[in-house]
Amino acid sequence: MKKYNVGIVGATGMVGQRFALLLAEHPWFEVKALAASPRSAGKTYSEAVGNRWAMTVPMPEKMKDMMVYDAVADIDTITSMVDFVFCAVDMKKDEIRALEEEYAKHECPVVSNNSAHRFTPDVPMVIPEINAEHINIIEAQRKRLGTKRGFVAVKSNCSLQSYVPAIFPLSDMGVENVLVCTYQAISGAGKTFERWPEMVDNVIPFISGEEEKSEQEPLKIWGHIEGDKIVNATNPKFTAQCLRVPVSDGHMAAVFVSFKKAPEKSEILKAWREFKGKPQLLGLPSAPKQFLNYFEEDNMPQTKLNRNLENGMAVSIGRLREDTQYDYKFVCLSHNTLRGAAGGAVLLAELLCAEGYID
């Protein structure tokens, strides 16, 4: 695979920092440009981040002295330096939509961690193991934008990536209704305990916009391409409650599922064990070898023990059992800034490169 020059737009935030770590030694991608807000522009990456470095390992040496560009004002310069960009900016949604499309119109593909374009009908929202075929909508998007190679592709909400991967392999068994309660780490809000002391010994039963995303985004993932748009599925039906819990990293979900006709427990376990997606078949660098991992122990998976499974790119599942109101219930866990955010976007970029969408 050829080497690609890439940029990180929104490099100083928590997800941008995670991108920096993941890309520092990536076999396909080499970071050539870092961009952020005007207040960071003109500074070195080390100066721009200052004491806000939130990762548990140091900033990559090769990036410390890279100059940070203005994500908006320096778009011409940035796009001349790279083959595509990762985007993780902290702006208003309409501003993000405009910015990402501007990069695309500069013939620079955008792989976005942001939510702004998730419901744009011709923008693929992809969990690579599940709906890789949705990237085929890119040609329709290019026609709308008037571009030859520029486009926007996005990953889904971070909390979905704990439980949607566990439900999807059961689709052929007739999944009808899903109730999910998510228990989400503070890094999902871009925070650490040092910067959010109110979260110590606390649970907040509300995360703005999260329940709507948890109920609606799976239907786009389950959807299909029809003409120049992705048409959402109408089933399964999802309902969700989302809580912020005092955990640094790792989103857990308690899931309840009903079927048209309940399968045997052994059928569900077999579906999880044998499930592979396009990243596994293609052998993409960031793909976990075993995507879904079931734990037999009653007290597993645990956030602290299992969130980093397969470099944080695998999903952990446990406690599958029959339920008195739904057919089955179980718990899921994924690392929210790896599988859920930056890592999921890097895997999506690898898929796009492998499939020829970033030439």
Side-chain angles (χ1 to χ4, degrees):
M1 179 62 70
K2 64 174 274 192
K3 276 272 192 177
Y4 295 84
N5 294 328
V6 306
I8 305 172
V9 180
T12 57
M14 182 172 281
V15 175
Q17 293 174 24
R18 182 66 76 181
F19 273 127
L21 288 179
L22 291 174
L23 297 172
E25 303 298 333
H26 194 280
W28 295 2
F29 306 147
E30 186 169 349
V31 176
K32 293 292 187 180
L34 300 172
S37 67
R39 65 179 176 271
S40 296
K43 299 177 182 178
T44 66
Y45 189 39
S46 181
E47 291 169 342
V49 174
N51 63 1
R52 294 180 296 112
W53 184 256
M55 302 293 103
T56 57
V57 295
M59 179 182 289
E61 286 293 329
K62 64 176 72 175
M63 296 184 198
K64 283 183 176 179
D65 294 327
M66 289 180 66
M67 189 185 79
V68 177
Y69 293 95
D70 185 318
V72 178
D74 295 329
I75 190 169
D76 290 332
T77 301
I78 296 165
T79 56
S80 71
M81 299 169 66
V82 302
D83 296 307
F84 69 95
V85 296
F86 293 98
C87 189
V89 293
D90 183 11
M91 301 165 65
K92 295 177 181 177
K93 282 193 178 183
D94 58 341
E95 294 173 344
I96 295 172
R97 281 191 289 268
L99 180 67
E100 291 181 343
E101 289 200 355
E102 191 59 35
Y103 273 86
K105 288 175 181 178
H106 276 69
E107 299 296 354
C108 180
V110 178
V111 180
S112 179
N113 182 75
N114 300 109
S115 64
H117 267 300
R118 287 183 192 156
F119 286 103
T120 303
D122 60 9
V123 171
M125 179 177 66
V126 179
I127 298 177
E129 284 89 349
I130 293 176
N131 62 329
E133 71 281 1
H134 281 196
I135 64 175
N136 295 329
I137 197 65
I138 286 170
E139 291 309 320
Q141 185 193 145
R142 283 171 168 162
K143 288 180 183 177
R144 174 176 65 83
L145 295 175
T147 60
K148 292 183 178 179
R149 70 183 298 271
F151 64 86
V152 180
V154 303
K155 49 155 287 301
S156 70
N157 180 266
C158 54
S159 65
L160 266 67
Q161 308 211 32
S162 60
Y163 61 90
V164 165
I167 298 167
F168 187 81
L170 313 181
S171 298
D172 291 342
M173 301 178 192
V175 177
E176 286 195 319
N177 296 294
V178 178
L179 182 153
V180 60
C181 295
T182 62
Y183 305 88
Q184 301 184 206
I186 63 172
S187 58
K191 301 288 183 66
T192 62
F193 285 116
E194 291 75 19
R195 286 154 51 191
W196 200 5
E198 297 87 352
M199 274 307 303
V200 175
D201 194 29
N202 193 22
V203 172
I204 299 176
F206 174 72
I207 305 173
S208 181
E210 201 75 5
E211 287 162 1
E212 293 83 356
K213 295 173 189 175
S214 299
E215 293 172 356
Q216 296 168 16
E217 288 186 21
L219 299 178
K220 184 171 183 179
I221 293 168
W222 254 269
H224 66 279
I225 295 174
E226 194 172 297
D228 60 356
K229 61 186 177 182
I230 297 171
V231 177
N232 287 4
T234 55
N235 283 296
K237 306 291 187 187
F238 285 82
T239 185
Q241 285 203 113
C242 301
L243 291 76
R244 188 74 70 193
V245 296
V247 168
S248 58
D249 294 300
H251 287 354
M252 186 169 279
V255 186
F256 301 77
V257 181
S258 63
F259 298 82
K260 290 179 182 177
K261 182 181 177 182
E264 296 293 327
K265 180 178 178 180
S266 59
E267 295 179 77
I268 295 175
L269 293 173
K270 183 173 185 288
W272 287 337
R273 185 173 60 252
E274 296 181 355
F275 183 77
K276 293 183 185 299
K278 202 69 174 285
Q280 286 73 38
L281 298 176
L282 292 173
L284 299 180
S286 298
K289 289 182 172 58
Q290 180 64 38
F291 181 35
L292 305 177
N293 297 263
Y294 185 78
F295 291 83
E296 296 285 353
E297 299 91 340
D298 287 340
N299 63 344
M300 298 286 277
Q302 293 181 23
T303 303
K304 194 171 184 178
L305 298 179
N306 305 114
R307 60 190 168 199
N308 291 313
L309 186 63
E310 295 222 37
N311 298 314
M313 293 297 288
V315 173
S316 301
I317 312 171
R319 302 204 68 208
L320 175 66
R321 59 219 190 275
E322 293 183 0
D323 184 60
T324 56
Q325 297 183 40
Y326 287 72
D327 292 317
Y328 285 97
K329 54 191 171 187
F330 50 89
V331 296
C332 299
L333 171 70
S334 66
H335 195 301
N336 56 295
T337 68
L338 288 169
R339 165 54 71 168
V346 171
L347 185 61
L348 172 54
E350 292 169 1
L351 173 68
L352 290 163
C353 291
E355 295 293 322
Y357 283 92
I358 302 176
D359 52 32

